[in-house]
Amino acid sequence: MKIFTKYIKTFFLIVFLFIISNCAQSRPIPSQAMDFESGMQLLAASLADQLERSNIGNVLNKVVINPITQQKQLKKIVIDPFVDVESGYPVKVNAKIKDIMTKEIGKRFAITGVMEPENLEVSEYVLNGMVTIEKKVGKQGNIYKVNASVFEKASGKVLASAALRVSGFDTTPMDIYKDSPVYLKGKSYEQHMSSVKRMPNEEVNQEYQNRLAIKAMLVKGDLLYEQREFKKSLTYYNQAAGSQTSQPMEVLNGQYTNLAKQEQWAEAEEVYGKLAAASVHETNDVTSKITFGPNSKQPLANKALQHNIYMKKIANLVSANRSCTIKIIGHCSRTGSATYNDNLSLQRAAWIQKQMATYAPEIMNKSQILGRGFRENIVGTGADDLTDEIDRRVEFRFNNCN
């Protein structure tokens, strides 16, 4: 009788929790911008509320039996790092985002951490996100839109999705991306962005889902780079390269950056040639990190060695293809008059063209220089620091080069 009573109580407890979880209402998201901490807490809470109402929200479905210990445990969610839409880079503040998500969602579901291979392997669900600048009102007052979603790893089905606005979101990239030679807006970037925006009951991009294991290797490599473990970081990027027949931009980017950090310049130069070709194939341009200081006509002097590699390999790529032509486009950050910046950006493009011609003289006949001033800013804040360095760049557009 006592055993029967125990089962009855357990049954009604489960029914009660099931009813409560399905009656839970998502907390309203305000239209105005919130501060970072409060905004990310509400974003996490909204995702958790939706998960509670989804098919994994009831007690029976969100509990699994550990095959080793035979103990009950909550199903697990792993976090694919949030990406800055403007640069294509994972942001350094992901460590703080992980802590906020763990504290809020962890009340109801288990968070394994960021998407390292060991965390991905034991997790049934993936949380991903992105941030994009929505209103540029100065360095400290910019308004950002943050999107996030949670999907089932096995099926790709989205279970929760939320978006809100925050002020003061720090989009500083992780260290490996600060040092990388290009901005990553290739196929993998597009797959990630489209997947984050999917709504509940939709499915994430199939290629994005299929590449989660490879992405996890890159995440591990990025974290090791943060810890200045460059050799170990390169090992994970090499593993990712070895598991694919063709190399996407982000894998080659990580290999190059680690090699350059270890001053293995011959190997780095070879990899950059592949990276430039991959960038042309995926995006038809190379948004290079040939960047400039404010008001300067010449690239940053402390990166001259790497800039020479970029110019040499791009010049060789163009000269090796008879039909290939290139536009060399200079840009400026939003400081000063439009006329001043138009002239400065053209001078930057001309300087790069002249330097490239030292590697392949035919560049002078196969290239056109253009100055865009600040009309095609990516960040556009006019901060004149690392956060808008991408605005003071020279980029390359290719024609008939594939």
Side-chain angles (χ1 to χ4, degrees):
M1 185 67 181
K2 289 182 178 180
I3 295 176
F4 178 75
T5 302
K6 180 181 177 181
Y7 279 123
I8 290 294
K9 289 181 178 178
T10 302
F11 173 76
F12 279 109
L13 177 61
I14 290 173
V15 171
F16 173 75
L17 291 174
F18 175 79
I19 293 172
I20 291 297
S21 67
N22 279 276
C23 291
Q25 296 295 317
S26 295
R27 277 159 266 193
I29 293 178
S31 58
Q32 68 271 24
M34 307 175 68
D35 66 85
F36 174 82
E37 192 91 18
S38 300
M40 298 309 296
Q41 287 174 350
L42 182 57
L43 187 73
S46 177
L47 293 173
D49 290 345
Q50 292 176 61
L51 290 174
E52 287 282 17
R53 298 199 311 274
S54 73
N55 61 356
I56 66 165
N58 68 74
V59 175
L60 291 176
N61 283 340
K62 71 179 180 182
V63 175
V64 294
I65 303 298
N66 186 302
I68 298 175
T69 66
Q70 296 300 307
Q71 299 296 311
K72 292 181 179 180
Q73 60 186 31
L74 292 175
K75 287 188 175 181
K76 300 177 181 66
I77 302 171
V78 70
I79 302 175
D80 187 1
F82 283 51
V83 171
D84 174 23
V85 173
E86 311 305 324
S87 66
Y89 292 161
V91 292
K92 205 172 183 68
V93 77
N94 267 303
K96 192 170 185 179
I97 292 173
K98 185 262 294 181
D99 291 341
I100 294 173
M101 294 291 171
T102 300
K103 183 176 180 180
E104 187 63 42
I105 299 177
K107 299 172 184 176
R108 291 173 274 184
F109 298 87
I111 301 290
T112 59
V114 295
M115 201 171 70
E116 301 174 60
E118 57 269 28
N119 292 337
L120 176 65
E121 183 178 359
V122 299
S123 300
E124 293 86 8
Y125 305 96
V126 179
L127 188 159
N128 57 19
M130 65 184 191
V131 56
T132 183
I133 190 167
E134 191 171 74
K135 186 177 181 182
K136 302 171 184 177
V137 292
K139 184 177 179 181
Q140 300 300 323
N142 295 330
I143 305 300
Y144 298 85
K145 185 174 183 180
V146 185
N147 293 73
S149 64
V150 179
F151 66 92
E152 186 177 40
K153 182 177 71 174
S155 68
K157 181 181 177 181
V158 176
L159 302 169
S161 178
L164 49 67
R165 293 172 176 82
V166 300
S167 58
F169 194 111
D170 185 358
T171 57
T172 300
M174 296 180 70
D175 290 345
I176 193 169
Y177 300 102
K178 286 181 188 177
D179 298 338
S180 67
V182 299
Y183 294 95
L184 300 175
K185 290 194 172 184
K187 293 179 181 178
S188 297
Y189 164 86
E190 296 294 342
Q191 293 159 7
H192 182 103
M193 295 302 111
S194 66
S195 296
V196 175
K197 293 181 179 180
R198 300 292 166 87
M199 302 302 291
N201 296 317
E202 295 181 347
E203 294 183 359
V204 297
N205 180 279
Q206 185 69 57
E207 289 300 314
Y208 168 72
Q209 182 191 1
N210 291 342
R211 295 187 68 261
L212 287 175
I214 294 171
K215 176 71 178 292
M217 295 181 200
L218 308 189
V219 171
K220 182 72 171 182
D222 295 350
L223 293 172
L224 287 167
Y225 195 97
E226 291 278 317
Q227 299 164 16
R228 304 188 65 78
E229 296 278 0
F230 305 123
K231 288 184 179 179
K232 292 181 180 179
S233 175
L234 180 58
T235 296
Y236 277 93
Y237 270 93
N238 287 342
Q239 287 179 7
S243 63
Q244 304 173 92
T245 54
S246 61
Q247 304 308 315
M249 289 174 60
E250 64 273 15
V251 173
L252 294 165
N253 183 76
Q255 287 181 309
Y256 171 86
T257 306
N258 272 294
L259 289 167
K261 199 69 175 180
Q262 298 173 73
E263 298 185 347
Q264 298 179 31
W265 295 114
E267 296 92 333
E269 183 173 325
E270 181 181 355
V271 171
Y272 184 81
K274 297 177 182 178
L275 174 58
S279 182
V280 172
H281 176 69
E282 292 190 32
T283 68
N284 208 40
D285 66 15
V286 178
T287 307
S288 75
K289 280 262 190 94
I290 300 181
T291 51
F292 300 72
N295 302 308
S296 176
K297 301 174 185 177
Q298 298 183 14
L300 295 170
N302 63 345
K303 297 181 180 180
L305 182 58
Q306 297 198 51
H307 290 163
N308 288 335
I309 290 176
Y310 307 162
M311 289 185 284
K312 176 182 177 181
K313 301 308 287 187
I314 293 172
N316 290 343
L317 187 154
V318 175
S319 64
N321 187 330
R322 179 177 297 181
S323 64
C324 182
T325 59
I326 187 174
K327 290 181 180 179
I328 305 171
I329 307 171
H331 299 271
C332 295
S333 51
R334 191 175 289 273
T335 303
S337 70
T339 300
Y340 172 81
N341 282 287
D342 285 346
N343 290 332
L344 178 59
S345 60
L346 185 63
Q347 290 171 331
R348 287 172 172 172
W351 192 94
I352 296 298
Q353 182 192 47
K354 184 178 179 180
Q355 290 300 115
M356 290 176 68
T358 64
Y359 300 110
E362 58 268 36
I363 280 293
M364 298 304 294
N365 296 322
K366 300 188 72 175
S367 64
Q368 176 186 5
I369 59 171
L370 299 168
R372 298 297 194 200
F374 51 63
R375 293 189 296 279
E376 295 179 7
N377 276 180
I378 294 175
V379 178
T381 58
D384 282 344
D385 59 18
L386 180 63
T387 63
D388 69 340
E389 183 180 318
I390 190 175
D391 289 339
R392 299 182 300 279
R393 69 191 184 280
V394 162
E395 63 185 359
F396 305 91
R397 299 277 169 80
F398 296 79
N399 184 46
N400 294 324
C401 298
N402 281 323

